[in-house]
Amino acid sequence: MKWTHAPAGTARRPARQLLAASVGNAVEWYDWYAYTFLAIYIAGQIFPRSAGDSLVPLLSAFAVFAVGFFMRPVGGLLMGAVADRRGRRTALTVTILLMGGSALLVGLTPTYAAAGVLGPVVLVVARLLQGLSVGGEFAASTTFLVESAGPGRRGLFSSFQYVSTTIGQLAAAGTAAALVAGLGERRMEEWGWRVPFLLGAVLSLVGFWIRRGAEETLRPVGEGAEETLRPARGGAARPRPGLFDALRRHPRESLLICGITAGGTLAYYTWTSYLPTYAELNAGVGKADALLAGTLSLGLFALLQPLGGLLSDRYGRKPPLLLFGLGFALLTVPLLRATGDSFGSLLLVQCAGMVLLTGFTSVSAAVNAEVFPARVRAAGIGFPYSLTVALFGGTAPYVGTLFTELGRPGLFPWYVSVVCLVSSAVYLRLPESAHKELER
């Protein structure tokens, strides 16, 4: 019996597959975003204050956040290779255990007052593990979702990648807000900031249990399989894919993932993470109004994803991608200029962007999976995708803030427009893959 990638769409329990990927992904992103929302409390406890600058601890906390971001390409490469060599389910269980362990580590990090420099060191290690986990999560869960989908359902299944990501983000924000309201500032600073991470560690065990019961999409098939995972009886097997096989054998496809992702990730992080700050800095919107508008628009965004995935299964991947890319290329500047100093105008701008953004997010996982053959699919997606997210998505708030500091905030919308226009050129030349059989 040879071992290879079984045909996509053969999962016997598709609902369980969807649950395994989505619940685990939501927990992963809950842990990831919890750090962002609680950074101000972590900073005061873990980092020493400079004698002349009270912002030093907060800047240090955000520097550690950035370190985690740039570990994501490494996670995409390593965990993608695990998924291609040992199976998708194995990689998914490893990533969620990594995230649970790193969340526990953050929750138990000693304060600077108690342990000195050991506190920041432990926090850095925890964020490195979180970055490794998140980078690997996208590669493994994307492949797992698409390979689990039934015929004509790859877009629908892939859309749950961002449904679960958004649920995790909203859960992290809601937990942090509830704790601040219930405990007050003093107890939050003393110990309350640790609670979401300890809760995340427990939730990771729940996600691990669900994923352990999922069906592997990399499993034995009959003789004559193209690639093998282990030797067939009486015959030699081809070697498992190496760590850099996807990059070495499929350079064009790797660059294609970068082109597909650049505009999408920049627009995503601009609209979901930076827009409230942009509205505060450049339009005078109050912090509470900005956060409420962001939360409501994220709820709409989550609801739109399955609809976008279903439409792409029916009409193809290129129409929604082009709607997104050309929409952002043409409308980013007028939309951001329309961000007035009222809650209503900001909410309208955010919701309009979320509708356009759905054209990318609801289909990107399916498009990425359809680019690579199954043998190197997870690693092939993981590294170029995560690297592009780090370069364009992870830097979006920094670049936007930098333009404001330089007195040229109007340049940032043009930057987003140009990058989305470049990705649109990639979408235009992209072969339509929605109605083709997933390559084995």
Side-chain angles (χ1 to χ4, degrees):
M1 169 84 59
K2 292 185 178 181
W3 287 64
T4 187
H5 301 259
T10 57
R12 293 186 298 271
R13 297 175 298 170
R16 178 63 182 262
Q17 301 290 93
L18 203 58
L19 180 66
S22 298
V23 170
N25 196 49
V27 171
E28 290 260 357
W29 285 99
Y30 166 87
D31 289 336
W32 177 261
Y33 279 114
Y35 184 94
T36 307
F37 295 124
L38 297 166
I40 191 169
Y41 299 106
I42 295 171
Q45 294 294 309
I46 307 301
F47 295 98
R49 291 186 179 273
S50 168
D53 193 347
S54 61
L55 287 178
V56 167
L58 185 58
L59 290 172
S60 299
F62 280 124
V64 174
F65 177 78
V67 166
F69 229 108
F70 280 90
M71 275 299 288
R72 287 173 62 171
V74 180
L77 183 64
L78 294 179
M79 290 297 102
V82 170
D84 289 332
R85 292 169 63 89
R86 301 292 182 183
R88 317 313 191 198
R89 186 177 61 183
T90 299
L92 288 172
T93 54
V94 171
T95 58
I96 201 165
L97 286 177
L98 272 175
M99 182 58 80
S102 58
L104 181 63
L105 203 56
V106 174
L108 298 179
T109 299
T111 64
Y112 188 83
V117 73
L118 179 62
V121 169
V122 171
L123 187 63
V124 168
V125 171
R127 286 301 292 179
L128 288 173
L129 291 174
Q130 282 189 326
L132 198 71
S133 174
V134 167
E137 173 69 18
F138 184 88
S141 64
T142 292
T143 306
F144 179 81
L145 277 170
V146 174
E147 291 178 349
S148 297
R153 287 292 181 265
R154 294 201 298 265
L156 174 63
F157 270 53
S158 77
S159 71
F160 279 84
Q161 184 77 32
Y162 277 92
V163 172
S164 53
T165 296
T166 305
I167 290 172
Q169 185 175 358
L170 290 172
T175 302
L179 284 170
V180 171
L183 296 178
E185 289 293 321
R186 184 179 64 82
R187 281 182 287 185
M188 277 298 296
E189 289 175 357
E190 291 175 353
W191 56 268
W193 63 270
R194 300 180 185 273
V195 174
F197 299 104
L198 299 177
L199 176 61
V202 174
L203 291 175
S204 295
L205 293 178
V206 176
F208 171 77
W209 175 75
I210 293 174
R211 285 183 166 181
R212 286 289 295 171
E215 184 180 345
E216 178 58 70
T217 60
L218 183 68
R219 56 183 180 269
V221 297
E223 291 291 323
E226 179 186 354
E227 298 289 348
T228 59
L229 290 177
R230 65 187 185 194
R233 292 179 183 176
R238 294 187 185 183
R240 291 189 176 106
L243 188 61
F244 297 101
D245 270 13
L247 291 172
R248 188 173 66 251
R249 298 187 182 186
H250 302 277
R252 179 184 176 279
E253 287 82 355
S254 298
L255 289 173
L256 190 61
I257 295 293
C258 295
I260 290 169
T261 305
T265 188
L266 176 57
Y268 175 78
Y269 280 97
T270 297
W271 244 255
T272 63
S273 299
Y274 180 61
L275 191 55
T277 302
Y278 180 89
E280 290 175 45
L281 293 176
N282 300 293
V285 177
K287 186 181 291 292
D289 283 346
L291 290 175
L292 178 58
T295 301
L296 292 175
S297 65
L298 278 173
L300 171 66
F301 180 68
L303 294 174
L304 288 173
Q305 299 311 298
L307 176 61
L310 281 170
L311 289 174
S312 80
D313 284 330
R314 183 176 179 86
Y315 298 108
R317 315 290 187 226
K318 290 180 68 171
L321 286 173
L322 287 169
L323 176 65
F324 152 73
L326 295 176
F328 264 90
L330 295 172
L331 298 177
T332 297
V333 174
L335 279 174
L336 290 184
R337 285 179 177 173
T339 306
D341 59 358
S342 70
F343 168 78
S345 63
L346 176 59
L347 180 62
L348 186 63
V349 167
Q350 286 209 280
C351 288
M354 292 303 190
V355 172
L356 290 174
L357 189 57
T358 297
F360 169 78
T361 54
S362 64
V363 305
S364 62
V367 172
N368 290 342
E370 289 161 355
V371 166
F372 283 95
R375 182 176 181 271
V376 292
R377 181 169 290 135
I381 294 170
F383 180 72
Y385 172 84
S386 295
L387 180 62
T388 308
V389 169
L391 292 176
F392 290 94
T395 60
Y398 175 82
V399 172
T401 304
L402 178 62
F403 279 133
T404 300
E405 287 291 322
L406 295 174
R408 304 298 296 273
L411 290 179
F412 180 69
W414 286 105
Y415 165 63
V416 176
S417 294
V418 169
V419 177
C420 288
L421 185 61
V422 172
S423 284
S424 296
V426 176
Y427 305 150
L428 194 61
R429 297 179 60 86
L430 194 67
E432 182 56 71
S433 56
H435 306 122
K436 295 180 181 178
E437 185 176 345
L438 194 64
E439 188 176 352
R440 293 176 55 187

